[in-house]
Amino acid sequence: MAKEMQLSGCAAFAQAAKMAQVEVICSYPIRPYTAIMMELAKMVANGELDAEFVHGEGEHAQLSVVLGAAAAGARALTGSSGVGVTYAFEVYSPIAGGRIPLQMAIADRALDPPGDFGSEHTDAMSCRDQGWLMGWAENPQEAFDNCLINYRVGEDHRVLLPQFVCQDGYFVSHIPGLVTLPEQKQVDEFLPPYSLPHPLDPKRPVSHGPQIRPDQGTVMDMQRAQAMLDAPAVIKEVVDNFNRIFGRKYSPFVEEYMTDDAEIGFFIQGAHTMTARHAVNHLRSKGVKAGLVKLRFVRPWPTQEVAEALSKFKAVGVVETSTSYGGAMRGGNLLHEVRASLYELPQRPLTTSFMAGLGGEMVPLKDFYYMAEILSKAVQESKTRKTVYWVGFEAEDKTKH
Amino acid sequence: MSQTVSLPNAGRFFEIRFESIGGLGAHAAGQVLATAAVLKMGLNGAHFSSYGSEKKGSLVRSFVRLGPADRPIRTSAPVEKPNAVVVFHAALLHNPATFAGLYKDATFIYNAPPRSSPEELAALPSTVRTIRVDALGIAVKEQSRPNAVLLGTLCGAFPFLDTGKVLDALSEEFAGKHPEVIASNERAFRRGAAEFETLKNVGRAKGDLPIARAEPAWGYETQPIGGIIPEPGNTIWNDLSASRTGSLPAFNRENCIHCGLCDLVCPDYCLVWEDGEKGGRFERELMGVDYRYCKGCLRCVESCPSSAMLKRAETPGLADRLSVPLFPDLVG
Amino acid sequence: MAVAVKTQKLPPIKLIRNVPKEEYYVPGHRTCAGCGPALQYKLVAKAAGPNTIFVGPTGCMYVANASYLCTPYTVPWMHSQITNGGAVASGIEAAYKVLLRKGKREGEMPNIIVMAGDGGTVDIGLQAMSAMMYRGHDVLFICYDNEAYTNTGIQTSPTTPYGANTTFTPPGKEIPEGKTLFPKDPPQLVIGGHPAVKYVATASVAYPVDLINKVRKALNVVGPTFLHIHCPCPKGWKFDEAKTVEVARMAIETGMWNMYEWENGEYRHQFKPKKYKPVSEYLKLQGRFAHLQEAHIAKLQAFVDTKLKTHGIPVEVPAPSPRAH
């Protein structure tokens, strides 16, 4: 019987992991994702979940433990935040290149310095080129759903890639939202048991990860690249199936909101999408032709879908909740990939970066109105005055300072 | 100021390839030659080697590229079309890549005792100058290393290389670390320059030899994903005989008491055992050595209590004659 | 029936002729001639048998063995980073626990063995090794100690002896002894503070049957165990590759290497010479000590004497304090 509960993103994710019947979990505490592990620990202690709960000695160890476990044939889960995510960096490539489809929950957090517990996408975004599937949840329901979707896609033998399942720290991880929990039999129908083509098994010995010559390495890289090329078709298939079984209406890669006849729009991922939607509604009521496009998968980046969706706008504000110092656009990460997606279009919208929500700051409605004003002006002038705006800190911006 | 020497082929680089295995000093030899060319002979020169992890016994290729002073050397690609190839270990003649890319008028120098003419040399173009020198023998006598001898032979074979300058560079290389070897290196070098034989009617091929590029065994559609090796133990197809450096353990079955000590100290599992005769004295009996895997460490010789394993100088073909196969059903 | 806890008992070997004939570490690997670690790997694989999974952190026993898409292991083997051998093995063990419990795998808990070099055990791998010991996983952690980071061209590690010449501790005018630091003691680190560990032992390639038996004993224990194996490296220590066993034996006879088992709080010292030879007998066998002067050798002798005393092993002559020189 489907159950409705008010759950935080962490609690919701833990419920999904339980229903996915994860078998090996490796924990290490760091705010704000720790709550996921605390929930799972209770479940294991109470016998609700039959899994090995391993206390890792650090994030690098967490990834190493689940690598061993998943290679041996168990569905494995770990997670982290902030500098924990970057501490484990060494192991991300061995896992993706070894084609071990384990899952890592990331409740994101700003990187040091200084110590800041606040949400920021930079931690996970810094790791996006290692060959992992990756995307953000907007709310606890999506956090729950993404856990199951990602296991199903990653474990598909056409893909076999690990997954970063991300949610905004505090805004999603700690604020309860309505979550509909499915029945176990629905989950079992959607997610078959974990099965690796060549697990570590004395009955069928294989060697994982030998030393190679340079000419043998490119082949492995190409295969990993091919997996990313094959993944979108699988994602589409899986999300359609998910929607059918669980009664949701997810668009696999991007979600469009009020994009028909829109002139200006926000390109955004994660928690602040919720506020952006309200902003769009308000702007529309004021006669501004606003819309938004929400990104669900950073990797594989849905180039085609992004181009199609954004081509409907005259000016797009890319809301960046992560930093890329010295990057081409001198701002965040997303604008680089947005512009690359738009490059081939005969008619390209104007695009600019809005640095917002960094360090755990809220992105209130007035920030979105400020962004809309800038975008509207850009449409009038047929050009953007700047390619990056640090919202709240620009000289003419009176909203914060 | 260094005197400028002229290269034999005006307007072209002069390229040398050393074919060796780790531990024989091919890299150092290339370094010395290039240093001499650049700092003392007024040439432009580049030297680099290709090799994997730094251990004895693994394949090493060292490349030297020499050019006139007014022509900068911008490439660091491996030498695919050599004017000279120097082979440090005769076992490498089994490997066709050793000959790859030779110009028809190139020089081919190999290290082997007198009267040794392996049939693999037929693959050389008939117009290649083939030189044999007993680099190991001379090195052992002079308490030096084969690379010193072979550098001498290279200078003897190519008068444009200034013998004195190369010798100076050789001595300087060791002056800081091992001054005691300078004199023996010099003796070995000079003998190398004088005691080589030029062979006739060796090669039977015509024209330049084609270059060889390593082809991977698998492509991106066929390689097992994740870099997994589904075939456990596939190292048994590797032939490690080239890593021996002059001696092998010879097995004398009559003296053997089948105690098994040799097996307990062999890191490579080269010893072939079989069940003893029913009702006989020994449960398991040693049949011999599979020299495909033997690297010549001679620990079996050290540990044998009954002189059944003895150190013997390796001559071409000896290992093949004595070898007992470890995996007769699997390895041809 | 699937068993989540090991019940196997590998029998000890009493006679050489009872050494099992099956090999799980086949030839053709590209280790140097006379490689000490390769020898212990062969003996360990033989001792463990077919129901085994090896974890191979980066090092000589990874790069030289599994080179160029080849593998000498006929049992499952997995590469790990040099940093995380203990962690990856912990994951494999946890997976097997749950998979056997749920009936997804058949048979017995496999032997899970980490084959880490000295760096992967007490330097960059220390954290993962210690955590594995603390968590009580049923894994055997083997440190094959060739006293340096050898695969990268012989650099010093925390088990490199005082006075050794490595490419990071070359002797020179300012630093005549080369290495100035005294080494960590891996088994003592494990014994010192991990309550879940029940068996720790040292072994040497000088005594292969003893090595096999200690591996079996460790594998028969249900829980984390630790073996510290002395494997002289002909290239790194600069000696004739035929002499590996001789060098290993001399290490024991001079006290530079101590053979013992520690089980449930009790020590059993083994292969104790009636009279210890002076360390100079060991040093003169190896080129990596060729530069040492009298004062350095005396310092090393004092260190060895103190170490033996700490273990309760009687030493002929009272040792001067290491600081005296």
Side-chain angles (χ1 to χ4, degrees), chain A residues 284-339:
Chain A
R284 282 281 180 175
S285 76
K286 291 280 177 357
V288 179
K289 297 200 169 153
L292 74 74
V293 174
K294 170 182 134 176
L295 183 68
R296 279 183 31 84
F297 274 97
V298 175
R299 287 289 182 271
W301 181 273
T303 317
Q304 199 59 27
E305 288 80 357
V306 167
E308 268 171 35
L310 295 184
S311 66
K312 299 177 184 172
F313 300 98
K314 295 205 173 105
V316 175
V318 179
V319 182
E320 308 263 22
T321 314
S322 65
T323 49
S324 168
Y325 300 107
M329 306 320 302
R330 300 289 192 270
N333 291 292
L334 292 175
L335 185 59
H336 300 142
E337 308 216 28
V338 165
R339 287 205 171 185

Side-chain angles (χ1 to χ4, degrees), chain A residues 99-161:
Chain A
R99 310 293 293 279
I100 308 290
L102 52 88
Q103 189 168 122
M104 179 175 187
I106 297 182
D108 62 47
R109 167 172 154 178
L111 294 176
D112 295 7
D116 179 355
F117 300 147
S119 163
E120 203 176 285
H121 295 177
T122 310
D123 53 2
M125 289 293 276
S126 306
C127 310
R128 69 188 187 280
D129 290 328
Q130 298 299 301
W132 289 53
L133 306 178
M134 180 176 186
W136 259 262
E138 184 186 339
N139 51 49
Q141 179 71 70
E142 206 172 348
F144 177 96
D145 295 338
N146 282 352
C147 171
L148 298 176
I149 289 173
N150 274 278
Y151 265 130
R152 177 64 185 81
V153 175
E155 292 176 7
D156 192 298
H157 281 204
R158 294 168 287 178
V159 176
L160 284 175
L161 290 176

Side-chain angles (χ1 to χ4, degrees), chain C residues 191-267:
Chain C
I191 292 169
H194 299 92
V197 177
K198 300 289 180 288
Y199 179 78
V200 172
T202 67
S204 172
V205 292
Y207 295 102
V209 177
D210 175 72
L211 196 162
I212 291 176
N213 285 333
K214 282 173 173 161
V215 170
R216 290 193 153 185
K217 206 158 165 186
L219 290 173
N220 288 341
V221 168
V222 177
T225 47
F226 185 84
L227 273 188
H228 188 208
I229 304 184
H230 203 212
C231 319
C233 165
K235 175 162 165 137
W237 304 10
K238 304 197 202 329
F239 62 85
D240 176 357
E241 56 228 10
K243 307 283 183 203
T244 308
V245 170
E246 188 184 320
V247 169
R249 206 156 276 176
M250 188 58 76
I252 297 169
E253 290 179 24
T254 53
M256 284 287 284
W257 183 267
N258 310 123
M259 295 282 267
Y260 58 86
E261 286 175 297
W262 175 90
E263 199 168 0
N264 292 312
E266 301 278 317
Y267 280 95

Side-chain angles (χ1 to χ4, degrees), chain B:
Chain B
M1 188 47 218
S2 46
Q3 230 178 322
T4 307
V5 312
S6 359
L7 294 168
N9 307 21
R12 260 180 37 198
F13 290 141
F14 188 84
E15 298 180 302
I16 307 168
R17 188 169 74 212
F18 293 155
E19 299 272 355
S20 185
I21 56 168
L24 296 180
H27 178 80
Q31 184 77 2
V32 164
L33 185 59
T35 306
V38 172
L39 297 181
K40 299 178 198 297
M41 292 195 260
L43 293 170
N44 258 328
H47 164 251
F48 45 94
S49 302
S50 74
Y51 48 107
S53 66
E54 299 156 57
K55 344 175 312 304
K56 284 162 111 164
S58 52
L59 285 171
V60 173
R61 282 213 165 92
S62 199
F63 309 103
V64 176
R65 193 168 266 129
L66 303 177
D70 60 348
R71 203 166 159 213
I73 299 179
R74 285 190 247 265
T75 171
S76 54
V79 170
E80 288 186 318
K81 294 181 74 70
N83 301 103
V85 166
V86 183
V87 181
F88 279 57
H89 195 301
L92 292 168
L93 298 173
H94 290 305
N95 181 4
T98 300
F99 304 100
L102 272 167
Y103 282 110
K104 58 180 187 283
D105 59 352
T107 296
F108 186 85
I109 301 172
Y110 73 104
N111 164 23
R115 287 179 300 285
S116 138
S117 273
E119 55 196 24
E120 287 88 354
L121 295 180
L124 290 168
S126 55
T127 43
V128 155
R129 175 171 61 151
T130 311
I131 289 176
R132 178 181 58 218
V133 61
D134 186 8
L136 184 60
I138 294 173
V140 167
K141 282 253 170 49
E142 302 299 339
Q143 299 187 308
S144 173
R145 293 177 78 199
N147 61 354
V149 180
L150 289 164
L151 272 177
T153 307
L154 203 51
C155 288
F158 290 101
F160 81 89
L161 290 171
D162 187 324
T163 309
K165 300 262 164 50
V166 176
L167 192 48
D168 283 345
L170 179 63
S171 304
E172 278 162 24
E173 170 83 1
F174 293 102
K177 289 175 280 188
H178 301 283
E180 68 280 5
V181 306
I182 292 180
S184 37
N185 280 353
E186 176 168 345
R187 284 197 305 275
F189 180 94
R190 291 199 187 282
R191 285 186 64 182
E195 295 172 33
F196 61 88
E197 308 165 76
T198 307
L199 308 177
K200 301 265 185 287
N201 300 324
V202 174
R204 282 200 269 289
K206 298 258 174 291
D208 300 342
L209 289 181
I211 63 175
R213 291 222 176 115
E215 290 276 332
W218 283 312
Y220 59 84
E221 284 185 1
T222 50
Q223 184 161 301
I225 55 156
I228 284 165
I229 302 180
E231 240 186 350
N234 63 352
T235 46
I236 61 170
W237 278 281
N238 289 340
D239 187 339
L240 303 175
S241 345
S243 34
R244 289 195 290 273
T245 48
S247 311
L248 52 67
F251 178 52
N252 181 341
R253 194 137 200 270
E254 278 163 23
N255 290 355
C256 181
I257 57 170
H258 308 282
C259 64
L261 273 178
C262 52
D263 200 77
L264 285 177
V265 297
C266 173
D268 288 282
Y269 181 20
C270 314
L271 300 159
V272 186
W273 296 81
E274 284 192 12
D275 289 330
E277 286 173 27
K278 242 190 153 48
R281 277 181 67 201
F282 306 108
E283 262 182 54
R284 302 275 288 165
E285 293 186 26
L286 181 60
M287 309 309 289
V289 178
D290 189 336
Y291 292 101
R292 186 188 183 96
Y293 308 114
C294 173
K295 296 166 184 160
C297 75
L298 303 179
R299 282 236 289 281
C300 48
V301 172
E302 281 285 308
S303 65
C304 178
S306 61
S307 305
M309 286 288 187
L310 293 171
K311 176 174 168 176
R312 194 160 151 189
E314 181 165 8
T315 51
L318 178 65
D320 289 334
R321 283 201 305 279
L322 300 179
S323 202
V324 176
L326 190 50
F327 302 107
D329 304 329
L330 294 170
V331 180

Side-chain angles (χ1 to χ4, degrees), chain A residues 204-216:
Chain A
R204 295 181 295 144
V206 292
S207 287
H208 273 245
Q211 186 78 358
I212 55 164
R213 274 201 311 266
D215 57 289
Q216 295 161 330

Side-chain angles (χ1 to χ4, degrees), chain A residues 21-24 26 50-52 54-58 60-75 87 90-91 94 100 193-194 199-214 216 220, chain C residues 50-54 62-63 66-71 73-79 81-84 86-99 101-102 104-108 110 127-129 131-132 134-135 137:
Chain A
Q21 296 180 75
V22 295
E23 290 162 325
V24 175
C26 192
D50 184 5
E52 289 294 304
V54 181
H55 306 283
E57 66 273 20
H60 184 282
Q62 282 179 283
L63 271 298
S64 310
V65 168
V66 292
L67 167 57
R75 181 169 285 147
Y87 175 35
E90 184 193 27
V91 206
I100 308 290
Y194 180 84
L200 292 169
D201 183 353
K203 297 197 177 54
R204 295 181 295 144
V206 292
S207 287
H208 273 245
Q211 186 78 358
I212 55 164
R213 274 201 311 266
Q216 295 161 330
M220 280 181 70
Chain C
N51 192 24
T52 303
I53 298 176
F54 278 110
Y62 161 59
V63 179
S67 348
Y68 311 142
L69 276 184
C70 287
T71 170
Y73 315 102
T74 58
V75 289
W77 173 90
M78 173 152 170
H79 176 226
Q81 310 308 113
I82 190 174
T83 49
N84 62 14
V88 172
S90 300
I92 297 174
E93 188 257 14
Y96 263 89
K97 277 233 220 12
V98 63
L99 292 172
R101 189 165 67 224
K102 286 185 164 182
K104 290 188 176 180
R105 285 279 157 82
E106 288 293 312
E108 275 244 332
Q127 180 174 287
M129 185 275 285
M132 190 203 95
Y134 151 69
R135 286 193 297 259
H137 294 279

